[in-house]
Amino acid sequence: MTTLIKKRATKTVIAMIPLDTARAEPLQEQIYARIREDIVGGKLLPGDRLPSTRVLAADLDVSRNTVMAAFEKLRLEGYVVGEVGGGTYVADVLPDSTLAPAISAAQPRSESARKPRLSERGRTLAETDVSWASKSRTGIAFRVGAPAFDSFPYALWNRLESAIWRHPTRKLVAYGDPLGYKPLREAIAAYLTTSRGVKCDASCVLIVDGSQQALDLAVRVLVDPGQRAWLEDPGYLGARAAMRGNGAEVVPVPVDDEGLDVAEGIRRCPSPNLIYVTPSRHFPLGSVMSLRRRY
């Protein structure tokens, strides 16, 4: 009997399979499990051609017999079809689809059943906009939070990184100081002292992944759930997300040509636990807070 296969273009999405020789599971089982996962998960579609056993074995640096054993198990279980010399393809009908119980159209899953069960804080975070970035088109100028990627010194960065990893030390792969790399913190402290007049040392500096992590940490240590915080209106959505996500009550305060309207803020909330303000260059209006307002 001849099997008809709807052939598609060759795909190489399974070439990078993480193999762990320290595991008790044989390598052929690891290869089989990963390819089966890609097929069931939809990364490999019916009709997609798998790499040849010779090519995949070379990519994974394993014996060809190991790959052939994995392919044979996939074939016997009905995930792939094909013959020696003719290529191996994902089967049009997968065993998982024939064994899975069908969901009756008369009994659709409820909306609540489809949504994960989150804590109150989790629901707040899920419903809160963090920034405008996801709503902005990638091709426009002056995008929020997007630097000039084409100006980044990729070649220099690659050379420096290669030089470091050519002779790696144990510190590079071990847990470091939770405050961050100490020489970097010392350099930042020295810069703040000379350029901003801030009296601090390295112990006062904490390295974070970005401004959003810094905002989240600041709100967590300065505001308890239920306490109130001023936020410029309009203002930075990331700050609003950090406040709401940590249980703070956000008090929007309008902005005019002099910056945050302090008098209006006092009228709305006389004793806030936190005030978020961008005095040097307001985001997103660009106004500079007057000296009177700063005092």
Side-chain angles (χ1 to χ4, degrees), residues 7-293:
K7 298 181 179 180
R8 295 160 58 93
T10 302
K11 302 189 78 171
T12 57
V13 293
I14 64 171
M16 296 304 294
I17 299 177
L19 299 179
D20 187 354
T21 56
R23 288 168 54 183
E25 185 180 25
L27 294 179
Q28 65 190 53
E29 288 295 326
Q30 296 182 41
I31 297 171
Y32 154 81
R34 178 55 184 270
I35 297 177
R36 178 187 178 279
E37 178 183 330
D38 285 351
I39 293 174
V40 175
K43 290 183 178 179
L44 286 170
L45 301 177
D48 280 341
R49 182 173 183 172
L50 273 62
S52 70
T53 55
R54 190 183 304 277
V55 169
L56 188 56
D59 288 342
L60 299 178
D61 194 22
V62 297
S63 165
R64 187 185 179 194
N65 289 335
T66 299
V67 178
M68 292 175 64
F71 276 31
E72 180 64 11
K73 184 173 182 179
L74 289 166
R75 187 186 66 80
L76 291 175
E77 294 187 359
Y79 291 102
V80 301
V81 292
E83 300 177 353
V84 177
T88 303
Y89 299 83
V90 178
D92 289 334
V93 179
L94 303 180
D96 301 79
S97 60
T98 59
L99 295 175
I103 299 177
S104 173
Q107 296 178 333
R109 296 176 63 191
S110 64
E111 188 69 21
S112 60
R114 287 196 295 267
K115 291 184 177 180
R117 296 180 179 179
L118 301 176
S119 65
E120 183 177 348
R121 182 173 184 268
R123 288 194 298 272
T124 301
L125 287 171
E127 296 168 358
T128 302
D129 286 333
V130 176
S131 72
W132 288 281
S134 60
K135 302 176 183 178
S136 301
R137 291 183 291 114
T138 57
I140 63 175
F142 305 110
R143 298 188 303 278
V144 175
F149 295 110
D150 55 344
S151 297
F152 187 81
Y154 292 103
L156 174 60
W157 184 273
N158 183 60
R159 288 200 302 272
L160 294 174
E161 188 176 41
S162 298
I164 292 295
W165 285 107
R166 198 171 295 123
H167 303 287
T169 63
R170 187 171 182 178
K171 290 182 178 180
L172 291 176
V173 292
Y175 285 114
D177 191 323
L179 292 177
Y181 187 51
K182 188 174 181 180
L184 176 59
R185 291 189 288 116
E186 291 174 339
I188 292 174
Y191 170 79
L192 293 174
T193 300
T194 57
S195 66
R196 297 296 182 91
V198 178
K199 295 181 179 180
C200 69
D201 55 27
S203 65
C204 303
V205 178
L206 170 64
I207 306 299
V208 295
D209 289 336
S211 60
Q212 194 59 38
Q213 185 187 13
L215 289 170
D216 180 74
L217 287 172
V219 175
R220 269 197 275 171
V221 299
L222 295 175
V223 183
D224 287 321
Q227 292 183 333
R228 309 184 77 185
W230 287 9
L231 178 64
E232 297 162 320
D233 183 23
Y236 181 47
L237 290 180
R240 176 174 174 268
M243 292 175 182
R244 290 198 61 201
N246 287 288
E249 180 183 343
V250 178
V251 179
V253 180
V255 177
D256 57 23
D257 292 340
E258 291 187 72
L260 181 78
D261 190 336
V262 179
E264 180 61 20
I266 293 174
R267 189 187 69 80
R268 297 186 180 188
C269 175
S271 301
N273 295 89
L274 176 70
I275 298 175
Y276 180 89
V277 62
T278 49
S280 298
R281 187 67 63 182
H282 174 263
F283 179 87
L285 299 181
S287 59
V288 177
M289 180 175 277
S290 66
L291 186 60
R292 178 176 66 89
R293 290 274 179 87

